[in-house]
Amino acid sequence: MSDEIGIRAIRLSKWYGKVTALQDVSLHLEPGLWGLLGPNGSGKTTFLRCIAGQLKPSLGEVRVCGERPFANPRALRRIGLCPEADALYDDLTGLEFVTSLARLSGYDADEALKRAKEALESFGLEDAMNRKIGGYSRGMRQRAKLAQSVVHDPDVLLLDEPLTGTDPTSRAVILEQLKKRADEGAVVLFSTHVLHEIEGLTDQVLLIARGQVVAQGKVHEIRDLLEEHPHHVRVQTDQPRALAAALMAVEGVVGVSFLANNTVEFMTRDPDATYTTLANEAVAKGFSIESITSPDASLEALFHYLVERSNRGAGTGADAGSGSVMSPDYQPGLSPGQQAKSPAGASS
Amino acid sequence: MAIRDLGYRPYEGERLPASHNTVVLLRHGLTRAWGSWLVKIAAFTAWAPALIAMFYLGTMTWIMQQQAGQMPGQELPPPPGADFVKALFAWQFWGFLSLIGVGAGAGAIAEDITFKAFSFYFAKPVTPPQYLAGRIAAVAIWCFALTFLPSFLVVGMLAGISPEEMRVEQAGLILPALLHSVLISVVVATGSVGMSSLSGSRALTMSAWLIVLVIPQILALIVDTIADWPWLYLVSIYELLSIVGDALFRIEPANDLRWYYALPLLGLVVAGALAMAWRRVRGVEVIA
């Protein structure tokens, strides 16, 4: 068995008939917590299922811990999957459900029971584990699903929309467990289309749109790559026009706009230089700075930007639920080592 | 709710081979089958025909022994044999295996489709053949238990009440009973589970299996009664099993239908059902 822990996709493509769900995805994920972000129908679930060995790639290959997962029991033992479907056997108790799936991971009855109890306890279901799943709330069902995915201590944990329908308490428990697993050295990849679920949990993201990974890496790394999409800095000061005049001299500042409440917004391709100049000017000329914010530092802005750009690149291809019809001139995805190739349509 | 950090403890014990998963799925299937009220009814009542038969045999034997005591020298009629045991299978099939087939078999895969259980099973080291073997074997074991065990009791009773010179012959009925039970179990389990793979609707697959069992039998019976043409029995699963059962118990057939017509057709039923089920889970492509 390989000691390597990670996920590697090499020109991975998957299509259903004429519908392309994944196209030419190449990436390498090392241990840690990764967010897979994309709108509904972008190919997130297909991608996760290819990694989980539940779908056979149409082209290319995917390797989990160095092995192809499809129909490979050895690889499957190292993978934990929490599917999106909220459909469990209602007449089983949570403990029975998780125990039976633990047994399929090769543990004897006693060990499976012990692990199932631990997994359920770790997700806060110690009081409910002997109740029928039919009586569980949505958040409890979600946690039972998560418990079965970690019951065999997988090296690679794949979670499809794990926070769907969860209340804040469940969410806190789930996020804590995901962080813990990642800290222990597992690759934890979880998908979502809700941006704020990722923020604060990890800054390592994969952005997927129309079956392609359009960006991979840390949020700020991705932003650095997007030269055509300047960084926005919003400054509230007592002298907005004077500050704007000073900063316009900085190389990389490509635009400025004045907002209400003495706020000026700069668009810059060199955030570091801009922040340095901003601090120097404030000290030298005695500007009073009330606040400095970056309105598009959140994933929200990045996500919309990339998806919008993908839409422009792909024309108006029909979204087909589990994937999209890809345009032949579709723009290739980005990774931290690549430069954005299409300056066309860059927003500023 | 407190977040519990239970700590990471790597497992150093033995991991059972993936081939063991068939047994795990089999046990799971047995438990799930027990969850069906149809299976519970069958499991509790399936002993009634055998117990009634044993009571009948015991009573008749006692009466005849009383008569023989009153009329010494009169020879007692021989106890019933293969016909009697074979008749028990008809009761078991229509009375109880039909319930097992509907309650445990014909909804098995449909239920897994409904509950999107493939996503869970095939995320573990489970292969489609293991999955199917586990599902079919669970139903087959229920069927076997409710056919062979009652027939075993009856054969034992027959051997017990028979004159000494017939006991070995009567006890020998256990072999055809065993083979017939295995054949019935395999056909009912495979057929019903195969039928269950046709749709995610349990109501649909269970109804379809019931129709496949009952309608051809009724049609064949009507045609045979009216036109004295028995060949339509070859489309009835029960009759196919019965024809082979006659051959196993060495019972003279009542018509021109012989085991060598029936056995290939039963093979087709099993192969067709397996093909249907395999088509559903082939390639393990799981799309919820």
Side-chain angles (χ1 to χ4, degrees):
Chain A
M1 192 188 299
S2 169
D3 289 335
E4 176 191 345
I5 295 178
I7 299 169
R8 192 181 292 276
I10 305 161
R11 309 211 67 171
L12 174 66
S13 297
K14 178 69 188 176
W15 54 79
Y16 308 104
K18 291 181 178 177
V19 177
T20 303
L22 282 179
Q23 184 180 324
D24 208 19
V25 173
S26 295
L27 52 80
H28 179 215
L29 302 184
E30 292 181 335
L33 193 56
W34 294 83
L36 179 62
L37 192 60
N40 289 325
S42 59
K44 297 189 299 293
T45 297
T46 301
F47 183 50
L48 287 178
R49 292 208 159 144
C50 283
I51 299 169
Q54 296 199 341
L55 293 175
K56 193 174 186 177
S58 303
L59 267 184
E61 66 175 18
V62 61
R63 286 183 179 269
V64 176
C65 302
E67 300 199 57
R68 289 191 180 94
F70 186 78
N72 181 352
R74 201 169 47 187
L76 290 175
R77 283 196 164 172
R78 304 182 71 177
I79 298 171
L81 174 69
C82 177
E84 184 184 7
D86 180 34
L88 310 173
Y89 294 117
D90 287 344
D91 55 336
L92 292 183
T93 66
L95 186 59
E96 289 168 344
F97 172 68
V98 179
T99 304
S100 63
L101 290 168
R103 294 219 60 197
L104 291 175
S105 293
Y107 300 110
D108 61 33
D110 292 340
E111 179 68 20
L113 184 65
K114 180 170 141 277
R115 285 178 162 267
K117 282 180 178 172
E118 286 177 357
L120 286 161
E121 283 175 13
S122 69
F123 283 98
L125 288 173
E126 60 270 30
D127 296 331
M129 64 171 72
N130 290 310
R131 279 166 42 198
K132 303 255 186 214
I133 292 175
Y136 280 13
S137 68
R138 186 106 187 262
M140 291 164 79
R141 294 165 77 91
Q142 197 70 16
R143 282 185 274 154
K145 277 183 354 189
L146 284 157
Q148 67 79 29
S149 71
V150 302
V151 73
H152 55 298
D153 280 330
D155 292 322
V156 172
L157 184 56
L158 308 168
L159 312 161
D160 199 355
E161 308 265 358
L163 301 177
T164 303
T166 53
D167 53 56
T169 313
S170 297
R171 188 171 299 225
V173 174
I174 291 168
L175 295 182
E176 184 64 28
Q177 282 298 316
L178 299 190
K179 280 181 180 171
K180 177 172 164 275
R181 297 274 160 185
D183 291 344
E184 287 169 356
V187 182
V188 180
L189 175 61
F190 77 101
S191 75
T192 180
H193 64 276
V194 182
L195 304 185
H196 68 79
E197 287 180 353
I198 280 188
E199 289 184 302
L201 185 63
T202 179
D203 64 347
Q204 295 185 116
V205 289
L206 299 169
L207 280 88
I208 189 166
R210 294 177 175 265
Q212 291 198 333
V213 175
V214 293
Q216 171 193 347
K218 295 186 185 298
V219 176
H220 69 86
E221 287 176 340
I222 294 167
R223 173 162 296 290
D224 290 346
L225 288 168
L226 302 175
E227 292 185 18
E228 73 276 28
H229 183 57
H231 189 80
H232 289 228
V233 183
R234 195 173 285 178
V235 185
Q236 191 176 13
T237 176
D238 57 340
Q239 300 176 58
R241 294 192 177 274
L243 182 63
L247 287 183
M248 280 304 286
V250 177
E251 190 177 355
V253 174
V254 295
V256 62
S257 55
F258 295 96
L259 309 175
N261 299 326
N262 283 342
T263 302
V264 59
E265 186 172 301
F266 301 97
M267 284 144 277
T268 175
R269 290 188 178 127
D270 190 352
D272 289 343
T274 305
Y275 283 118
T276 304
T277 306
L278 178 61
N280 292 340
E281 290 292 321
V283 172
K285 298 183 178 171
F287 299 142
S288 169
I289 306 290
E290 303 273 328
S291 66
I292 301 175
T293 56
S294 182
D296 62 350
S298 70
L299 281 175
E300 187 91 40
L302 184 58
F303 176 72
H304 283 301
Y305 169 70
L306 289 166
V307 172
E308 277 172 22
R309 195 184 61 171
S310 295
N311 288 341
R312 283 196 298 276
T316 55
D319 194 320
S322 62
S324 307
V325 179
M326 307 304 291
S327 166
D329 60 349
Y330 188 75
Q331 184 175 339
L334 295 173
S335 70
Q338 293 176 300
Q339 292 292 309
K341 292 181 180 173
S342 172
S347 62
S348 59
Chain B
M1 181 177 359
I3 297 167
R4 293 191 176 189
D5 184 354
L6 298 171
Y8 179 67
R9 295 181 296 281
Y11 178 68
E12 291 172 354
E14 187 190 358
R15 293 280 283 266
L16 299 169
S19 56
H20 181 72
N21 283 341
T22 303
V23 179
V24 176
L25 286 164
L26 164 62
R27 287 181 180 167
H28 184 245
L30 288 171
T31 312
R32 291 204 59 72
W34 183 245
S36 162
W37 58 272
L38 287 174
V39 173
K40 284 195 179 83
I41 289 175
F44 284 119
T45 56
W47 309 96
L51 294 176
I52 291 169
M54 290 165 73
F55 178 75
Y56 167 79
L57 289 172
T59 307
M60 291 304 292
T61 304
W62 181 79
I63 290 172
M64 283 191 286
Q65 283 172 345
Q66 295 299 312
Q67 289 174 342
Q70 292 167 1
M71 292 179 280
Q74 188 179 353
E75 198 171 322
L76 289 173
D83 280 340
F84 192 84
V85 179
K86 170 77 179 2
L88 182 71
F89 280 90
W91 283 100
Q92 297 304 111
F93 186 92
W94 288 115
F96 312 106
L97 294 203
S98 56
L99 297 181
I100 297 286
V102 171
I109 296 180
E111 188 176 38
D112 285 344
I113 296 169
T114 301
F115 287 110
K116 296 186 169 71
F118 288 173
S119 303
F120 295 105
Y121 288 133
F122 294 131
K124 307 296 179 192
V126 174
T127 61
Q130 284 176 337
Y131 169 80
L132 284 182
R135 281 282 172 269
I136 292 171
V139 182
I141 284 175
W142 275 107
C143 292
F144 182 78
L146 298 191
T147 47
F148 180 68
L149 295 181
S151 66
F152 180 82
L153 293 176
V154 170
V155 169
M157 184 78 180
L158 276 176
I161 62 168
S162 296
E164 203 158 330
E165 66 275 14
M166 287 183 67
R167 277 191 185 152
V168 174
E169 185 188 340
Q170 294 281 52
L173 288 173
I174 203 68
L175 183 61
L178 174 68
L179 293 175
H180 198 31
S181 299
V182 170
L183 181 67
I184 290 174
S185 304
V186 168
V187 171
V188 170
T190 312
S192 61
V193 172
M195 190 65 75
S196 78
S197 69
L198 289 181
S199 163
S201 163
R202 288 181 73 202
L204 187 69
T205 55
M206 289 158 86
S207 307
W209 174 242
L210 211 51
I211 287 169
V212 165
L213 272 191
V214 175
I215 299 297
Q217 176 70 16
I218 292 173
L219 287 177
L221 193 63
I222 292 170
V223 170
D224 188 32
T225 306
I226 294 172
D228 196 20
W229 195 73
W231 293 95
L232 202 58
Y233 283 125
L234 291 180
V235 299
S236 162
I237 289 175
Y238 168 73
E239 284 299 334
L240 294 174
L241 289 166
S242 182
I243 291 164
V244 178
D246 284 344
L248 289 171
F249 283 100
R250 298 179 188 276
I251 296 169
E252 192 62 30
N255 50 41
D256 293 337
L257 304 179
R258 297 290 181 273
W259 68 269
Y260 42 84
Y261 301 136
L263 206 54
L265 290 172
L266 285 172
L268 277 179
V269 170
V270 171
L274 280 175
M276 283 194 300
W278 178 254
R279 189 170 175 272
R280 172 63 72 174
V281 295
R282 71 190 164 127
V284 210
E285 289 235 339
V286 181
I287 303 166

